[in-house]
Amino acid sequence: MAEGDALSTHIFGIQLGGYMVESIQEVSGLTMEEDVVEVKQVTPDGKLLIRKQPGARQAGEVTITRGMDKSTEFTKWVKETLENGQVDSARQNLTIEVKDAAGETVRRIQLMQGWASKWEGPSLKAGESSAATETVTITFEEIVIE
């Protein structure tokens, strides 16, 4: 891949703790934000001066859409917080690896201390032939882009 070329493929993988999460269809909501602190002052000649500066980095949320399958590890992890209320033991670091067309990792995005805060099941409709998917919202404390 030549320098300056944007990735034209959507090849990626997600590691949760020590294992790969299967059947991922989409990852959305990857953002990094920080507060903006506005400071208002008055100059010696009485004019209002407004300065903006960076504040604290914000925690975030990401949404993962995956096919419902027989994989149990990811489901166990989701249940750890949503059914059992065990947020402290469920906190895991997630790594999203973006790959090029040759399958080489070109960027890693790490979500630190993540836990499942929302699960949404599939839309079920008689006669429909689309795949059953589940959507999981993961709340994390810090994002690190490598």
Side-chain angles (χ1 to χ4, degrees), residues 53 73 104:
Q53 58 192 30
E73 286 300 315
E104 298 295 321

Side-chain angles (χ1 to χ4, degrees), residues 3-73:
E3 189 171 323
D5 285 350
L7 290 174
S8 60
T9 61
H10 294 270
I11 303 171
F12 58 93
I14 297 179
Q15 289 185 22
L16 172 64
Y19 66 91
M20 293 296 291
V21 179
E22 304 95 344
S23 307
I24 302 296
Q25 290 185 345
E26 180 180 352
V27 176
S28 60
L30 284 169
T31 60
M32 184 185 304
E33 293 183 62
E34 62 186 8
D35 292 332
V36 176
V37 178
E38 186 174 272
V39 179
K40 295 180 181 180
Q41 302 171 342
V42 177
T43 63
D45 58 350
K47 293 184 181 177
L48 178 64
L49 179 65
I50 301 173
R51 297 278 187 212
K52 292 188 179 190
Q53 58 192 30
R57 186 182 288 185
Q58 296 180 6
E61 291 184 345
V62 65
T63 302
I64 296 175
T65 303
R66 63 184 297 271
M68 290 189 77
D69 58 17
K70 293 182 181 181
S71 172
T72 58
E73 286 300 315

Side-chain angles (χ1 to χ4, degrees), residues 52-117:
K52 292 188 179 190
Q53 58 192 30
R57 186 182 288 185
Q58 296 180 6
E61 291 184 345
V62 65
T63 302
I64 296 175
T65 303
R66 63 184 297 271
M68 290 189 77
D69 58 17
K70 293 182 181 181
S71 172
T72 58
E73 286 300 315
F74 188 73
T75 303
K76 283 182 197 175
W77 179 71
V78 170
K79 287 181 174 184
E80 191 72 18
T81 54
L82 294 177
E83 286 184 8
N84 302 336
Q86 301 296 322
V87 176
D88 290 337
S89 64
R91 289 181 188 270
Q92 294 282 336
N93 295 337
L94 285 89
T95 302
I96 300 168
E97 294 182 345
V98 181
K99 301 173 185 282
D100 62 14
E104 298 295 321
T105 300
V106 295
R107 171 113 4 125
R108 279 187 179 83
I109 304 164
Q110 294 190 20
L111 310 177
M112 312 306 279
Q113 298 296 310
W115 50 277
S117 60

Side-chain angles (χ1 to χ4, degrees), residues 114-129:
W115 50 277
S117 60
K118 179 180 176 184
W119 177 84
E120 185 177 332
S123 295
L124 303 172
K125 183 177 177 184
E128 189 70 33
S129 61

